[in-house]
């Protein structure tokens, strides 16, 4: 067996965060209930041709009205934490604090109370992609006034919900917001007309908005509420397509720097990474521009952004193989990176074309974070796998995925000294998988959409994940017998 294939026995640290995640637009439904404003996803899903089979989040899993069912599901998994997100337009219908929708706040208050009563700690995401449409109408993430809007929104949430929340996530996956929403146009708001400049403007504003929210918490709420605030970045891991070619190693490095590093470098190390700055500058000059398309942070901004984290939030799904490609003088985000990525044909496929099973990459990515950002505490805020096609509650592929990936996390922790403090399974429920609608199912629980009651039924992976949780990892069977987990 290779080092990757060998099962490592051992346990995570005491009080390890074991969680499962959802996001407001993917599960809540109730898209016009109780004064909620419209979001860019409401508009996007109602635009013909954007979502597979015209699926929408109008009803989704109806979690707005089925809170008790979701809590029951969480109890069955025996998670210590639950990660969910707040719908910005449910709380602030036009995105601003001119009008606070009390009914929206009440819903989240009730959810927090129900979680705490069930002994489950909340992990709350402020922004999981459902921007108030009213803010998009004035430019969305492209308009720098959004930094203030986001700061004020964060302030409302910290003030009203903060006494019950110890873990906050400002943004979910700035890379996906930027690249799928503002380069490819596959996600709301659906832009693909300025792939040369728009991604850099949008990301610049998101990074600043994150920093302002962190400072609000730090200045006004930390002393009394004593929680942790950070951002969740997602990233693939990249390996060289040809491991005997130096240039393929450099291509792989570019992928990670343009993915994880785009956001993590300013927040954890200060400023964009030298490699990203150099690549965008060179490509801009090659296109005849007088200066780089990458905006600059002023020295004051660099100082204000640097260190705005209390832990490292990571979403990870899979790895890719990278090799360099000469894009000539093309002015495009992809050309700046100068790389094309592919999968290895032997990597097991899943229900999502972009996701192949590559457990080895997670350990390497975690080690990269440790080395690059001075060993921060890391919470994996998403990791998981999908299926599509006919329903099969015996989801062996998901058990395989979780066992292999979580064992790599254990190796990172015990063998590489990575400061792992939590793991979150995506997702608790089968839900609206964005542009592909309800066809790709990431849930631990199956949601039967042909039944108007939308019942949640546990897949086989629920008992696997819950036994892993009660074991706090993979205790050596030789030290057993362990009721929690037995590999034999
Ligand atoms: C994440 N990709 O999104 C999101 O945070 C979830 O809301 C989503 O349901 C989950 O992963 C599964 O997709 C991603 O194309 C969307 O590489 C797309 C990609 C990665 C993550």
């Amino acid at each position: 067996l290779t080092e990757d294939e060998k099962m490592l026995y051992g346990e995570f640290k005491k009080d390890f965060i074991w969680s499962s995640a959802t996001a407001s637009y993917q599960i809540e439904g109730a898209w016009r209930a109780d004064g909620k404003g419209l979001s860019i996803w409401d508009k996007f899903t109602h635009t013909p041709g954007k979502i597979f089979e015209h699926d929408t989040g109008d009803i989704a899993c109806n979690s707005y009205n089925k809170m008790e069912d979701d809590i029951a599901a969480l109890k069955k998994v025996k998670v210590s934490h639950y990660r969910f997100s707040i719908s910005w337009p449910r709380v602030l219908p036009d995105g601003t604090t001119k009008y606070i929708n009390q009914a929206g706040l009440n819903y989240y208050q009730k959810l927090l109370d129900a979680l705490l009563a069930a002994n489950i700690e909340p992990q709350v995401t402020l922004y999981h992609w459902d921007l108030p449409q009213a803010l998009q109408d004035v430019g969305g993430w492209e308009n720098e006034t959004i930094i203030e809007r986001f700061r004020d929104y964060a302030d409302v949430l910290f003030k009203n919900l903060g006494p019950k929340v110890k873990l906050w996530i400002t943004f979910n996956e700035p890379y996906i917001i930027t690249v799928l929403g503002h380069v490819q146009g596959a996600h709301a708001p659906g832009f693909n007309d300025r792939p040369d400049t728009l991604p850099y403007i949008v990301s610049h504003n998101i990074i600043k908005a994150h920093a302002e929210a962190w400072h609000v918490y730090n200045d006004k709420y930390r002393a009394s509420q004593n929680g942790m605030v950070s951002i969740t970045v997602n990233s693939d891991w990249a390996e060289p397509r040809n491991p005997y070619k130096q240039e393929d190693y450099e291509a792989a490095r570019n992928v990670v720097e343009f993915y994880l590093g785009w956001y993590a470098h300013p927040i954890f190390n200060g400023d964009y990474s030298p490699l990203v700055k150099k690549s965008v500058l060179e490509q801009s000059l090659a296109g005849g521009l007088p200066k780089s398309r990458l905006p600059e942070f002023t020295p004051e901004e660099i100082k204000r952004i640097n260190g705005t984290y209390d832990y490292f939030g990571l979403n990870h799904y899979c790895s890719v193989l990278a090799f360099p490609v000469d894009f000539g003088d093309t002015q495009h985000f992809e050309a700046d990176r100068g790389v094309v990525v592919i999968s290895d044909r032997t990597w097991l496929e899943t229900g999502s074309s972009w996701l192949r099973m590559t457990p080895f990459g997670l350990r390497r990515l975690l080690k990269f974070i440790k080395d690059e950002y001075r060993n921060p505490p890391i919470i994996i805020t998403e990791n998981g796998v999908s299926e599509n096609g006919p329903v099969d509650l015996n989801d062996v592929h998901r058990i395989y995925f979780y066992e292999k990936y979580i064992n790599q996390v254990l190796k990172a922790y015990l063998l590489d000294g990575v400061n792992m403090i939590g793991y979150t399974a995506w997702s608790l429920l089968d839900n609206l998988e964005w542009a592909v609608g309800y066809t790709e199912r990431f849930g631990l629980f199956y949601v039967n959409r042909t039944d108007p009651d939308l019942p949640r039924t546990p897949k086989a992976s629920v008992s696997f994940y819950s036994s892993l949780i009660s074991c706090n990892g993979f205790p050596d069977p030789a030290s057993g017998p362990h009721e929690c987990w037995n590999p034999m």
Side-chain angles (χ1 to χ4, degrees), residues 239-273:
E239 289 287 327
R241 178 178 64 174
N242 183 340
Y244 297 94
K245 272 192 181 164
Q246 185 53 35
E247 68 213 65
D248 286 13
Y249 281 90
E250 285 159 20
R253 174 83 195 195
N254 269 29
V255 169
V256 179
E257 293 244 8
F258 267 87
Y259 212 136
L260 187 86
W262 192 348
Y263 310 95
H265 205 284
I267 293 167
F268 287 78
N269 287 351
D271 206 359
Y272 294 116
S273 83

Side-chain angles (χ1 to χ4, degrees), residues 175 234-238 255-256 259-260 314-320 337 341 354 361 365:
Y175 184 94
N234 73 304
S235 187
D236 293 348
W237 176 248
V255 169
V256 179
Y259 212 136
L260 187 86
L314 175 72
N315 289 358
H316 175 73
Y317 289 88
C318 65
S319 294
V320 292
R337 194 179 67 167
V341 300
W354 54 271
L365 182 59

Side-chain angles (χ1 to χ4, degrees), residues 352-464:
S352 305
S353 59
W354 54 271
L355 207 185
R356 299 263 195 139
M357 297 211 201
T358 51
F360 61 87
L362 179 50
R363 177 178 173 190
R364 295 174 201 182
L365 182 59
L366 292 168
K367 177 72 161 52
F368 178 91
I369 293 168
K370 176 192 172 190
D371 295 342
E372 190 76 5
Y373 308 116
R374 296 172 313 283
N375 202 15
I378 302 176
I379 303 176
I380 293 175
T381 42
E382 278 181 34
N383 178 233
V385 71
S386 60
E387 65 266 355
N388 60 31
V391 179
D392 182 0
L393 293 177
N394 187 22
D395 57 342
V396 181
H397 64 293
R398 182 167 288 102
I399 294 175
Y400 178 89
F401 180 99
Y402 280 133
E403 175 171 304
K404 298 298 173 204
Y405 274 71
I406 297 173
N407 201 250
Q408 294 287 343
V409 180
L410 185 70
K411 286 175 183 169
Y413 171 55
L414 290 178
L415 305 181
D416 305 336
V418 176
N419 188 5
M420 291 307 311
I421 63 167
Y423 177 89
T424 310
W426 182 270
S427 173
L428 181 67
L429 306 173
D430 290 345
N431 58 44
L432 183 87
E433 180 54 21
W434 307 110
V436 295
Y438 294 98
T439 52
E440 297 178 13
R441 305 187 303 270
F442 279 83
L444 290 162
F445 285 76
Y446 167 64
V447 177
N448 182 357
R449 306 202 64 79
T450 64
D451 181 337
D453 230 25
L454 300 168
R456 287 83 161 123
T457 311
K459 302 178 190 174
S461 52
V462 167
S463 53
F464 173 78

